[in-house]
Amino acid sequence: MTSHQTTQTMKPATAAKKLGVYLEATPADFQEGVVSRSELNALQADPPEWLLELRRDGPHPRPVVAAKLGVSIAGLARGGVTEALTTEQIDALKAELPAWLRRERATQAEVRKEAARIKEKNAEKAAEGRGAGS
């Protein structure tokens, strides 16, 4: 019995998400085609100039914008940021540090602190559970 290897492909939106770039800013041939797994791997291993430029200057998709600003995607929306931003726009926001951005960064810090506390608590419970069975 022979197995036929089918080429795994993905929509351009999925590939753009995996590459961390804003789909609408990619070249037309990228947006209109399908991307195979091997093509995606090649783009990641040896990015063409257009991909390097997008990653450097943007526009960036919201998950990337949120990460660069240190806030959640929901925090971006609460701050009124619903569009892709360029690196220059992100840097301007960081320099300006509007009230919403300070507030969302503080919220993110609290979320991270709570997540760390829960993780530590769970680790303690797991250690106690291992010690009780000995």
Side-chain angles (χ1 to χ4, degrees):
M1 189 161 79
T2 60
S3 65
H4 294 288
Q5 185 74 24
T6 58
T7 303
Q8 188 179 20
T9 60
M10 61 193 83
K11 294 178 183 173
T14 303
K17 188 175 185 178
K18 289 180 181 288
L19 292 169
V21 295
Y22 186 57
L23 177 63
E24 285 77 8
T26 61
D29 59 330
F30 181 87
Q31 292 181 39
E32 295 162 3
V34 293
V35 181
S36 72
R37 173 67 61 190
S38 60
E39 288 170 329
L40 179 69
N41 291 341
L43 286 170
Q44 289 171 324
D46 186 21
E49 186 56 38
W50 66 263
L51 182 54
L52 293 171
E53 192 175 307
L54 272 179
R55 286 178 169 168
R56 181 180 55 246
D57 302 328
H60 303 287
R62 287 183 305 146
V64 174
V65 173
K68 286 179 179 276
L69 290 174
V71 300
S72 67
I73 294 172
L76 281 180
R78 285 190 292 269
V81 178
T82 56
E83 299 297 317
L85 298 180
T86 64
T87 300
E88 189 177 321
Q89 291 169 311
I90 292 168
D91 290 344
L93 274 173
K94 286 179 178 177
E96 182 185 321
L97 207 61
W100 72 264
L101 182 54
R102 287 193 304 271
R103 191 171 48 249
E104 291 301 331
R105 282 180 166 177
T107 300
Q108 272 305 101
E110 288 299 316
V111 167
R112 283 191 295 273
K113 192 162 43 171
E114 180 64 8
R117 185 190 68 77
I118 291 170
K119 184 177 179 181
E120 187 177 309
K121 184 178 176 182
N122 289 342
E124 287 172 4
K125 280 184 180 179
E128 287 173 8
R130 283 192 302 269
S134 300

